[in-house]
Every structure is written in structure tokens, then in C-alpha cells.
Amino acid sequence: MTQTPLNPGDSPLVREALSSVVSRETSAQKTAASPGAATGAAAGVRDGDWPRPAKTRIFTVANQKGGVGKTTTSVNLAAALSMHGQRVLVVDLDPQGNASTALAVEHRGDVPDMYKVLVEDLPLAEVVKEVPDMPGLYCAPATIDLAGAEIELVSMVAREARLQRALTAYDVTFDYILIDCPPSLGLLTVNALMAANELLIPIQCEYYALEGLGQLLRNVDLVRAHLNPTLDLSTILMTMYDGRTRLASQVAEEVRSHFGATVLSTLIPRSVRVSEAPSYGQSVMTYDPGSSGAMAYMDAAREIAYRAVTV
Ligand code: ADP
Ligand code: MG
């Protein structure tokens, strides 16, 4: 079910997206693409604490395609930011709980999780856990129970606003909140889009990279129109870049010509170390800080942190 773009139980605004036929050019064509993206060139250098945003930056990390790097991006950007003096919360909104696994936060059995927050009104404070050995980094885990939320939320009051309410009621201050979405455009993702002020879309550098993106962007438009007018598609990150293939560079070029300055200059390379890290309950930032993947995620996080100063 989670792989299908739209589920029968989706909210009206999601259904409306189906009938919206306007082919949408992104509003994010801000300026010309930055040339010659780096893959972690300047990374590894410790540069102290980064500037803290004036108010919490809440990112939804979404793309209804599975396996494009949403979880990897959420976890590693969060780790990188926390290593530079930021207080960061990762909200795991995917019933598979991959972000919770990667951050070594218990998410099996009766562990209080995001399902209980969204469906049973449990305060976030009772769910959020510190990530071991990562000062400043916290995680609100997902258990498999969350799979039921997609259906159970349908009949609930203010079903699109459950996450926003929970975050508003949670009186702990973070610099960044990253919401890791499931691979669908259902109510969990709509809750994330409503709760966020920024949208980060990871795009995998492969042939079908842009397929389905139109649908995501139409949903974002609907969320803006009905639920969250200030949601900003602020960041696109290209992931799993394989510099040896022409295809990858063609895709990267195409994405840049579509989305301009929204696309981070940093490309995340394909790196075995990135995919190994979760099985050790770690981000690649601590598992192998000198690896190309870790250095690239550090660069991407730095770009995001310094963009904060101008927005
Ligand atoms: P999503 O959350 O969008 O489904 P994931 O972040 O789980 O995607 O990534 C899908 C798979 O690709 C995972 O096995 C992950 O370890 C692997 N992966 C992600 N990014 C990279 C990368 N830069 N290099 C190598 N493997 C990666
Ligand atoms: Mg995931």
C-alpha cells in the first residue's frame, strides 16, 4: 500500500490532486544552477559551531518514491547538524522505522511511538529519546503500529493537523526538526507537510528521477492552498550520485535546470559506507567520518545551515 502514490483513504486535498491537471513548472526556478557541484571536497574540516536559526526550521523530507535516500538524508543531515552545535530532532514518520534503527532508538514492541502521538494524543515528550553518543540529537521513533495510522487518521478530527499540534504542544526548543516521511503521499506525509516550514526533496540520480515529482509538487500546492501557505520547497538534494556514469551527470544537470538554486551544490555520492552504517545503529557521520558519503552529507548540512542566515 505504501508504494502506491495515492491511497483510497487519502484526504480530500490529496484526492483533489488527481484531478488537478495543470502541469506545474516549479516556482523554485530562482537563479541559474551553480556549476560544477562538489562531492564533499571541502569536508572533514572541523569548523566549530554553525549559526543557529532564529526560529526552529522544520523540514519535511519527502518523495513518494521509495529508496531515493529520504531516511539516509534525514539521519545524516541531522547527525551532521548536531555535531556543529545544533539541537536536532528526527521525527520518524515511516512505519518501517528505518530512521529509528539508524539512530539506535528502540522501536519495537510497546515502545511509545509516533502512532501514539498521532492517533492517541500521547505528548511528544513521552516519545522523544536521546540518540546514544550524539549530544543534541533526538529521535521520535516509529513502530510498525504507525502503518495503521494512515487508515485510522481518516475518520479523525483535524486529521491533517495532528503532527503540527503535537509539535506545537511540545515545549522543548530545537534548531532543526527533520521529519522522515514514508514513500507515499497519504495522510502521514500530508501531516508532515502541514507541520513543516520547509520541504526537502531527495532525488536519486537515476533515469526515472523526475517521475512522480509532478504529483508530489501538485500535493505541495494543495497543502499550500488549504493547510500551510508558507510551506517552502527550500531544498533539493541529489543522492546516490555515481560520477562514473554519464546518466548520473545528465540527471543532475536536468534537475538543476528545473529547480535552479533550490538544489544544493553538494551531491551525495554512492558510497558503501553510507549503506553499511545503519546496521551498526549509526549515521555514517560517526561510522566513517572520513568516507566520501560522510563528507558530502557534512557539506550538504553546512549549506543548509548557512542558508538559514539569509532566509
Ligand atoms: P528511502 O528512505 O527514500 O526509502 P533510504 O534512505 O532508505 O531511502 O535509502 C535506500 C537504500 O539506499 C538504503 O539501503 C540505503 O542504505 C541506500 N543508500 C542511500 N543513500 C546511499 C548512498 N549515498 N550510497 C549508497 N547507498 C545509499
Ligand atoms: Mg525511508
Side-chain angles (χ1 to χ4, degrees):
M1 175 176 101
T2 50
Q3 291 292 342
T4 55
L6 289 160
N7 304 319
D10 281 334
S11 67
L13 76 90
V14 174
R15 261 184 269 124
E16 205 182 319
L18 276 174
S19 55
S20 160
V21 288
V22 186
S23 118
R24 180 186 189 282
E25 284 302 305
T26 174
S27 64
Q29 289 170 323
K30 290 169 187 162
T31 59
S34 37
T39 50
V45 184
R46 273 219 60 111
D47 51 354
D49 286 357
W50 294 338
R52 296 175 65 183
K55 74 181 206 5
T56 311
R57 294 178 72 189
I58 306 178
F59 281 87
T60 281
V61 181
N63 185 332
Q64 79 272 29
K65 284 179 90 172
V68 299
K70 289 181 289 297
T71 301
T72 306
T73 295
S74 305
V75 164
N76 290 303
L77 289 180
L81 288 163
S82 75
M83 290 161 85
H84 287 275
Q86 313 293 313
R87 282 176 61 85
V88 187
L89 171 65
V90 174
V91 175
D92 191 349
L93 222 54
D94 185 342
Q96 296 191 36
N98 294 336
S100 313
T101 302
L103 295 171
V105 169
E106 184 61 56
H107 65 104
R108 284 170 224 286
D110 280 343
V111 170
D113 77 326
M114 287 309 298
Y115 171 84
K116 293 201 170 60
V117 172
L118 296 175
V119 177
E120 297 176 0
D121 285 322
L122 189 71
L124 257 178
E126 294 184 34
V127 169
V128 170
K129 297 281 183 306
E130 279 185 301
V131 174
D133 306 318
M134 295 293 291
L137 183 56
Y138 300 79
C139 174
T143 73
I144 195 67
D145 287 354
L146 194 57
E150 200 78 72
I151 306 295
E152 287 175 58
L153 282 171
V154 171
S155 59
M156 297 185 84
V157 174
R159 60 194 175 182
E160 291 105 348
R162 312 283 301 179
L163 178 60
Q164 185 191 48
R165 284 181 177 194
L167 287 173
T168 307
Y170 185 38
D171 61 358
V172 176
T173 308
F174 292 96
D175 298 307
Y176 291 85
I177 298 176
L178 281 80
I179 307 167
D180 183 29
C181 287
S184 73
L185 294 174
L187 272 171
L188 289 171
T189 298
V190 171
N191 264 269
L193 291 169
M194 182 161 180
N197 25 63
E198 298 183 54
L199 171 62
L200 188 164
I201 305 179
I203 294 181
Q204 188 181 349
C205 295
E206 45 114 271
Y207 186 62
Y208 294 111
L210 297 177
E211 205 178 62
L213 219 53
Q215 197 160 38
L216 172 59
L217 296 176
R218 279 192 292 280
N219 276 262
V220 170
D221 276 349
L222 289 166
V223 168
R224 278 202 199 107
H226 300 282
L227 300 170
N228 181 5
T230 58
L231 177 65
D232 180 23
L233 167 50
S234 68
T235 313
I236 289 179
L237 178 61
M238 285 186 279
T239 62
M240 290 181 246
Y241 183 78
D242 184 347
R244 295 167 305 182
T245 69
R246 261 189 65 198
L247 177 63
S249 60
Q250 282 168 352
V251 169
E253 234 168 76
E254 194 183 337
V255 171
R256 283 193 199 285
S257 71
H258 258 268
F259 293 101
T262 304
V263 187
L264 296 183
S265 316
T266 307
L267 289 160
I268 307 299
R270 205 172 258 292
S271 147
V272 177
R273 307 304 264 169
V274 170
S275 55
E276 286 172 355
S279 56
Y280 296 87
Q282 285 188 49
S283 72
V284 75
M285 311 313 298
T286 55
Y287 174 65
D288 189 351
S291 64
S292 61
M295 293 196 294
Y297 269 114
M298 189 60 86
D299 282 350
R302 186 183 296 105
E303 279 193 63
I304 289 171
Y306 280 91
R307 281 180 167 196
V309 179
T310 54
V311 290

